[in-house]
Amino acid sequence: MREGQPVYTVTQVNGYIKNLLDRDGLLSGVFVRGEISNYKSYPSGHHYFSMKDEGGALRCVMFRREASRLRFRPENGMKVIAFGRVAVFPRDGQYQLYCSDLTPDGVGDLHVAFEQLKEKLFREGLFDPAHKKNIPRYPGRIALVTSSAGAAVRDMLRILGARYPLAKVLLLPVRVQGEEAAGEIASAIRYASAHALADLLITGRGGGSMEDLWCFNDERVARAIYDCTIPVISAVGHEPDVTIADFVADLRAATPSNAAELAVPDQNEIYANLAYYEDKLMGTMEVRLDRARRELERLEKNRVLQDPINYILDRRALLEDRRRRLVHGLGGVMAGERERFARLAAALDAMSPLKVLGRGYALAQTANGKVATSVDEVEPGGKLSVRLSDGVLDCRVDDKRRLL
């Protein structure tokens, strides 16, 4: 160290560098293009990340106030253009870019925000066709969630009144443009659902820029439509305009006027259908009446209907015929049974033991009534009952002999 040369503290050096950078007009408001890396968002609302290109990296910070104005979610690898000032943080002596604005490079931030929210809600199932409700064919009450001052509401009221005047229309006026619009639209949809105000709900507005229609790309509106117990038709902008609300709604209409046409049937078509069915009913009734008339004429010629006693006579003749057939049938059955009985009796008589006894044979039974079939069953002195054809002999056995 040279004698007399001043010595500075670290804080003094960092402060000196900070003053140099703060006085530099270029670095006080600079646009920087690069790729986001090491991105972190803290609960405090502050965002910290780096921007890099093929030659280097720059530390960046975006504080909560500026970050709250972002319309998209920064992600690692995203190419962006940042605007801010380059300054030194005296505590650690490192310079960084203090971002006040951040936009995607090549496409608008609204487009990126739209695609990010669309992908998020798709993964959560908010676009699932299985969740969509059927639009009632003849709604009795229709709720309109839109601006009360725009041309869209006048077109819808005019078309609804012309097509289906039976429907009662309830207007829930909301703003459809600006920062407060999304919250009002979501609240009106939830209110209508909670109180079952209608059979069908239409929400939307007329055409405009993407910024004008942005409230219908708000996550709060999307979730309110998804949770709504009333079928919802989304009618935002013109035919080419597509919003997140269109994906979530139960039915998407190209315009507010188209939504009114889809919501209700045309009374002229109803009258035409009624006239058609009336003619068809009259024709059917004439055919049936003609058939009934011919049947009545046929019945008038029936002898039974000409004189009721003929009915009794016919029934009596039928009863007599069936009685004769029954008697004849029973006679045949009885004759057959008698013949079968005679055959069975003859066979039984032929097999009767009494017939055998009548031919000179006898039946010997021991004292206990068992038929004796061998001399071994009786001992001398034992008793036997000998049955003949005309009586029984009680005998005593004096002796027994076995035949060879």
Side-chain angles (χ1 to χ4, degrees):
M1 183 180 68
R2 295 179 181 179
E3 185 176 351
Q5 186 173 1
V7 177
Y8 300 98
T9 64
V10 172
T11 301
Q12 289 174 323
V13 173
N14 287 344
Y16 180 79
I17 296 175
K18 181 179 185 303
N19 289 333
L20 288 177
L21 296 180
D22 289 345
R23 288 195 300 268
D24 189 306
L26 174 65
L27 299 181
S28 63
V30 61
F31 288 94
V32 182
R33 174 184 283 113
E35 180 181 307
I36 294 178
S37 65
N38 300 320
Y39 173 78
K40 291 182 181 179
S41 175
Y42 289 91
S44 62
H46 305 323
H47 296 203
Y48 296 89
F49 55 96
S50 296
M51 293 180 65
K52 65 178 183 178
D53 57 19
E54 61 277 4
L58 173 64
R59 293 182 60 181
C60 305
V61 59
M62 194 173 200
F63 293 123
R64 178 176 57 190
R65 186 180 65 179
E66 290 78 13
S68 64
R69 295 196 294 264
L70 286 175
R71 290 175 168 173
F72 68 101
R73 183 179 65 258
E75 297 176 348
N76 288 328
M78 182 180 291
K79 296 185 182 301
V80 296
I81 296 177
F83 176 78
R85 61 185 178 87
V86 177
V88 169
F89 186 42
R91 190 186 66 184
D92 55 17
Q94 294 188 5
Y95 72 91
Q96 55 190 356
L97 177 66
Y98 291 84
C99 293
S100 57
D101 191 23
L102 192 66
T103 58
D105 187 13
V107 294
D109 57 347
L110 291 183
H111 178 77
V112 173
F114 177 87
E115 293 299 330
Q116 287 179 336
L117 181 59
K118 178 182 173 183
E119 177 64 21
K120 174 185 177 182
L121 299 183
F122 174 78
R123 290 197 303 267
E124 293 184 22
L126 269 69
F127 306 160
D128 190 350
H131 182 267
K132 297 187 183 298
K133 297 175 285 295
N134 294 325
I135 304 301
R137 187 172 183 180
Y138 302 103
R141 292 177 297 173
I142 301 174
L144 304 181
V145 178
T146 187
S147 171
S148 60
V153 68
R154 293 193 296 270
D155 290 341
M156 286 191 286
L157 291 174
R158 175 179 54 81
I159 294 173
L160 290 173
R163 287 177 62 87
Y164 194 64
L166 292 178
K168 296 180 179 179
V169 181
L170 173 66
L171 175 62
L172 300 178
V174 295
R175 280 178 279 190
V176 292
Q177 186 172 336
E179 294 183 0
E180 306 297 326
E184 291 186 10
I185 295 171
S187 297
I189 293 174
R190 293 191 183 279
Y191 178 81
S193 177
H195 297 279
L197 296 183
D199 305 314
L200 179 64
L201 187 148
I202 302 175
T203 184
R205 55 155 289 164
S209 65
M210 191 172 189
E211 288 81 1
D212 295 336
L213 307 180
W214 189 251
C215 57
F216 291 96
N217 290 319
D218 192 281
E219 185 173 353
R220 292 169 294 175
V221 174
R223 295 194 182 278
I225 294 175
Y226 182 80
D227 295 333
C228 186
T229 58
I230 303 171
V232 177
I233 297 179
S234 173
V236 183
H238 300 304
E239 177 66 36
D241 299 321
V242 179
T243 64
I244 296 296
D246 295 329
F247 291 111
V248 185
D250 300 299
L251 180 64
R252 184 225 174 205
T255 63
S257 298
N258 179 236
E261 294 171 351
L262 295 175
V264 295
D266 186 351
Q267 63 173 338
N268 295 324
E269 293 181 1
I270 295 176
Y271 284 130
N273 287 335
L274 289 176
Y276 166 75
Y277 287 117
E278 181 182 13
D279 292 342
K280 188 173 182 179
L281 178 62
M282 292 298 295
T284 302
M285 291 302 298
E286 288 179 0
V287 171
R288 295 187 63 178
L289 287 173
D290 184 63
R291 186 184 302 120
R293 190 180 297 110
R294 291 196 302 270
E295 179 67 12
L296 179 60
E297 293 174 353
R298 185 187 66 80
L299 293 175
E300 287 177 347
K301 299 176 183 179
N302 191 300
R303 59 182 295 274
V304 172
L305 295 179
Q306 291 175 355
D307 187 355
I309 196 64
N310 290 329
Y311 178 80
I312 298 176
L313 295 176
D314 288 348
R315 297 293 98 183
R316 180 178 295 170
L318 178 62
L319 178 62
E320 179 62 22
D321 176 68
R322 292 183 177 177
R323 186 192 66 80
R324 287 196 302 269
R325 292 171 60 187
L326 179 61
V327 170
H328 178 73
L330 289 176
V333 172
M334 291 297 293
E337 291 300 312
R338 288 194 189 96
E339 182 180 352
R340 189 170 71 90
F341 177 76
R343 291 197 306 270
L344 293 175
L348 181 62
D349 182 65
M351 297 176 61
S352 173
L354 297 178
K355 289 286 186 180
V356 177
L357 296 178
R359 293 197 296 270
Y361 292 94
L363 179 66
Q365 294 177 300
T366 61
N368 57 8
K370 181 180 179 182
V371 176
T373 59
S374 172
V375 295
D376 294 335
E377 297 178 10
V378 182
E379 298 297 331
K383 294 183 178 181
L384 286 175
S385 294
V386 179
R387 183 181 180 90
L388 303 176
S389 62
D390 58 352
V392 179
L393 299 177
D394 293 327
C395 307
R396 182 185 300 277
V397 179
D398 292 335
D399 193 9
K400 66 179 180 178
R401 292 186 304 276
R402 181 179 298 277
L403 298 178
L404 296 179

